[in-house]
Amino acid sequence: MLIIGERLNTSRKQAAEAAEKFAATFIKAEAEAQLQAGAHFLDVNAGTFAEREMEYLLWMAKTLRAEVDAPLCIDSSDPVVIREALRICGKGMMVNSISAEKDTYAAVLPLIKEHECKVVALCMGDGGIPTEFENKLEIGCELVETLLRDGIAADDIYIDPLIMAVSTAQDGGVVALRMIQEVRNRYPGVHAVCGLSNISFGLPERRLLNRIFLVAAMSAGLDAVILDPLDKQMMASLIAAKTVLGRDEYCSQYLAAFRAHKLEQ
Amino acid sequence: MLIIGERLNTSRKQAAEAAEKFAATFIKAEAEAQLQAGAHFLDVNAGTFAEREMEYLLWMAKTLRAEVDAPLCIDSSDPVVIREALRICGKGMMVNSISAEKDTYAAVLPLIKEHECKVVALCMGDGGIPTEFENKLEIGCELVETLLRDGIAADDIYIDPLIMAVSTAQDGGVVALRMIQEVRNRYPGVHAVCGLSNISFGLPERRLLNRIFLVAAMSAGLDAVILDPLDKQMMASLIAAKTVLGRDEYCSQYLAAFRAHKLEQ
């Protein structure tokens, strides 16, 4: 299970303040805490700053690459920001995201090829985010096949079904789960990833819904996730899910987590 | 989601003491607490008493039928005990269990027909509990088909995959999940049920594993479960799972549970 730590996102107040003050100590501490808690990649996102996104994201990326030994997930909807960030970061990063939108695809594809990146591939096209399962599946499959044809290795593709909130679409979770299952079955080696918080938008006790959906998604074949690794209940659910889903040989990760007091609720 | 409350089982110390003392007040209070917390059926099991199982189970059943307005799940491996209990209880109960073992099947089938019972059908035969998925599926399918052929309605059959502990069989959970999915796909109307605690046998923090497995099993199609409805975290996971799995229209059950402070962890 690949874990992408989501805390270095300026939609979080503390991360926004750290970016504005160029507080390298905070950024480094957040990075280390996430890695310590089990993150494999660190998502960096400064999208809330619109005009200063480039400046803040590049600074965060530069700071992290100098201070921390972990790959980044460059999270921006602006291909120019992605391009400049990848110049700083070197090879082996992840890009969040590419999609089936023609302009985005054309702009991002050469960047991930040049810098040998993994890529989050969003199931949306120029018509927006499909809500029906069949439309979503069609767009998702076309996107995967195009990426494969364009020379991206299956192992570098992380399809994101784009979860719709269950508060607005009762089958929002089910559609995402079916997508994960279908894509993982049809394209061996291609991964499935998602952010979790959309599922619970508009409802109370969101963290409960988010972690329960994580378990359902892992059952459907999810093998990567963007989350807050410092959320202890979330991580305990993830570890327990790996164990009951047969992805933890001799339950050794579960027992290690227990000994490290990570499972106490 | 059909919930069968498991607390009136003499493997629990308090229930055993209550049976030995014929403490009707305790039995009634436990029953009401479980119903209040969401149970639809009340499991009654006195199997730990071997020679006095009949006496204690019949007393519990009689007490509950007199005091509480809820159907029972008569839980015994002895068809004679089941027969006597059903005589006391009347129609519409559940029997836990029948199996593909020839003698058990022959003894229990007429009882569930006569008393119009729902029945938990265990995936095991005269060769014991199969551990391989294929064997288990074969026995499970044969059992369902035999029950249908013998006149039991699909809606009255609750197939139990018999979970193996992940501590002894890494794929114990996965085999059960595949069984649930297959049976639910192949036999529309037939239900899937399980007890949860086997999954975590031999491991620490068992309640965490049990409730995480519940979510995975619900994703696979589980629509009935034997559990302790007073386990608040378990019930919150169940309610949240219904919501993210699209089984809670307008999220109304989730919101009601929130307002009743049932989701706080």
Side-chain angles (χ1 to χ4, degrees):
Chain A
M1 193 76 190
L2 189 89
I3 297 170
I4 303 154
E6 73 182 10
R7 292 175 66 88
L8 292 172
N9 186 319
T10 58
S11 68
R12 299 172 82 96
K13 193 163 167 251
Q14 286 189 303
E17 285 171 6
E20 284 179 305
K21 293 177 187 160
F22 300 105
T25 314
F26 175 86
I27 298 290
K28 187 185 169 194
E30 282 284 83
E32 286 175 343
Q34 292 185 89
L35 294 171
Q36 175 64 27
H40 305 104
F41 278 77
L42 301 172
D43 194 85
V44 281
N45 182 316
T48 54
F49 283 109
E51 292 178 16
R52 303 194 68 176
E53 180 190 8
M54 173 82 85
E55 178 186 0
Y56 290 148
L57 191 135
L58 295 189
W59 171 76
M60 283 203 286
K62 209 176 293 183
T63 304
L64 289 165
R65 293 301 288 161
E67 299 276 2
V68 182
D69 190 22
L72 306 183
C73 177
I74 306 298
D75 186 354
S76 172
S77 56
D78 183 346
V80 181
V81 171
I82 293 173
R83 185 188 68 205
E84 295 307 312
L86 289 177
R87 279 194 186 147
I88 287 170
C89 291
K91 296 193 194 303
M93 304 298 117
M94 183 178 273
V95 166
N96 186 3
S97 55
I98 201 166
S99 76
E101 296 163 296
K102 281 206 174 54
D103 291 351
T104 304
Y105 188 89
V108 175
L109 179 73
L111 303 175
I112 58 178
K113 291 191 79 161
E114 181 187 344
H115 298 281
E116 298 171 16
C117 295
K118 296 179 178 300
V119 66
V120 175
L122 307 182
C123 292
M124 62 181 290
D126 287 310
I129 301 177
T131 53
E132 300 292 320
F133 172 70
E134 285 71 19
N135 297 348
K136 201 169 246 191
L137 184 64
E138 195 186 328
I139 288 177
C141 289
E142 207 179 293
L143 180 55
V144 169
E145 286 167 26
T146 311
L147 284 165
L148 292 169
R149 208 162 42 229
D150 284 338
I152 307 301
D155 185 45
D156 287 333
I157 302 172
Y158 289 74
I159 199 89
D160 181 338
L162 289 173
I163 302 164
M164 308 294 285
V166 283
S167 58
T168 54
Q170 190 180 335
D171 65 350
V174 175
V175 167
L177 297 173
R178 288 180 64 192
M179 279 294 298
I180 292 165
Q181 204 157 20
E182 278 291 331
V183 169
R184 296 274 291 157
N185 281 343
R186 287 189 192 203
Y187 306 105
V190 169
H191 306 281
V193 68
C194 62
L196 299 168
S197 55
N198 269 8
I199 193 77
S200 61
F201 182 80
L203 290 171
E205 295 286 344
R206 294 188 62 177
R207 290 165 68 236
L208 170 65
L209 289 169
N210 295 349
R211 66 176 178 267
I212 293 301
F213 186 73
L214 171 63
V215 178
M218 288 174 68
S219 303
L222 193 82
D223 65 344
V225 63
I226 304 169
L227 53 65
D228 176 3
L230 300 190
D231 179 337
K232 197 172 169 182
Q233 288 177 304
M234 176 71 84
M235 289 299 283
S237 295
L238 185 150
I239 292 163
K242 284 180 68 168
T243 303
V244 301
L245 293 171
R247 302 189 203 166
D248 179 14
E249 202 175 6
Y250 306 119
C251 307
S252 57
Q253 291 178 45
Y254 183 82
L255 292 168
F258 171 71
R259 285 188 294 263
H261 305 285
K262 289 182 177 176
L263 303 181
E264 290 153 15
Q265 303 283 295
Chain B
M1 193 76 192
L2 188 90
I3 298 170
I4 303 153
E6 73 182 10
R7 291 175 67 88
L8 292 172
N9 186 318
T10 58
S11 68
R12 301 172 82 97
K13 192 163 167 256
Q14 285 188 303
E17 284 172 9
E20 284 180 305
K21 294 176 190 163
F22 300 105
T25 314
F26 175 86
I27 297 290
K28 187 185 170 195
E30 282 284 83
E32 285 175 344
Q34 292 186 87
L35 295 170
Q36 175 65 25
H40 305 104
F41 277 76
L42 300 172
D43 195 86
V44 280
N45 182 317
T48 54
F49 282 108
E51 291 178 18
R52 304 194 67 176
E53 180 191 7
M54 174 81 86
E55 177 186 1
Y56 290 147
L57 192 135
L58 295 189
W59 172 77
M60 283 202 284
K62 209 174 294 182
T63 304
L64 288 165
R65 293 301 288 161
E67 300 276 2
V68 182
D69 189 24
L72 305 183
C73 177
I74 306 299
D75 187 355
S76 173
S77 56
D78 183 347
V80 181
V81 171
I82 293 174
R83 184 188 70 205
E84 295 307 312
L86 290 177
R87 279 193 186 151
I88 288 171
C89 290
K91 296 193 195 301
M93 303 298 117
M94 183 178 272
V95 166
N96 186 2
S97 54
I98 201 167
S99 75
E101 295 162 296
K102 281 207 173 55
D103 291 349
T104 304
Y105 189 89
V108 175
L109 179 73
L111 303 175
I112 58 177
K113 291 189 78 160
E114 179 186 345
H115 298 280
E116 299 170 18
C117 294
K118 295 179 178 301
V119 66
V120 175
L122 306 183
C123 292
M124 61 181 290
D126 286 309
I129 301 178
T131 54
E132 300 293 320
F133 172 71
E134 286 70 19
N135 298 350
K136 200 169 247 190
L137 184 64
E138 195 186 327
I139 288 176
C141 290
E142 207 180 293
L143 180 55
V144 169
E145 286 166 27
T146 311
L147 284 165
L148 291 170
R149 207 163 43 230
D150 284 337
I152 306 301
D155 185 46
D156 287 334
I157 302 172
Y158 289 75
I159 197 90
D160 182 337
L162 290 174
I163 302 164
M164 308 293 285
V166 284
S167 59
T168 54
Q170 190 180 335
D171 66 350
V174 175
V175 167
L177 297 173
R178 288 180 65 192
M179 278 295 298
I180 292 166
Q181 202 156 22
E182 278 291 331
V183 169
R184 296 274 289 155
N185 282 341
R186 288 189 190 203
Y187 306 104
V190 169
H191 305 281
V193 68
C194 61
L196 298 167
S197 55
N198 269 7
I199 193 75
S200 61
F201 181 79
L203 290 171
E205 295 287 343
R206 294 187 63 177
R207 291 166 67 238
L208 170 66
L209 289 169
N210 295 349
R211 66 176 179 267
I212 293 300
F213 186 73
L214 170 63
V215 178
M218 288 173 68
S219 304
L222 192 83
D223 64 344
V225 63
I226 304 169
L227 52 67
D228 176 3
L230 301 190
D231 178 338
K232 198 172 169 181
Q233 289 177 303
M234 177 71 84
M235 288 300 282
S237 295
L238 185 150
I239 292 163
K242 283 180 70 169
T243 303
V244 301
L245 293 172
R247 301 190 204 166
D248 179 14
E249 202 176 4
Y250 307 120
C251 306
S252 57
Q253 291 178 44
Y254 183 80
L255 292 168
F258 171 71
R259 285 189 295 265
H261 305 285
K262 290 182 176 175
L263 303 181
E264 290 153 14
Q265 302 285 295

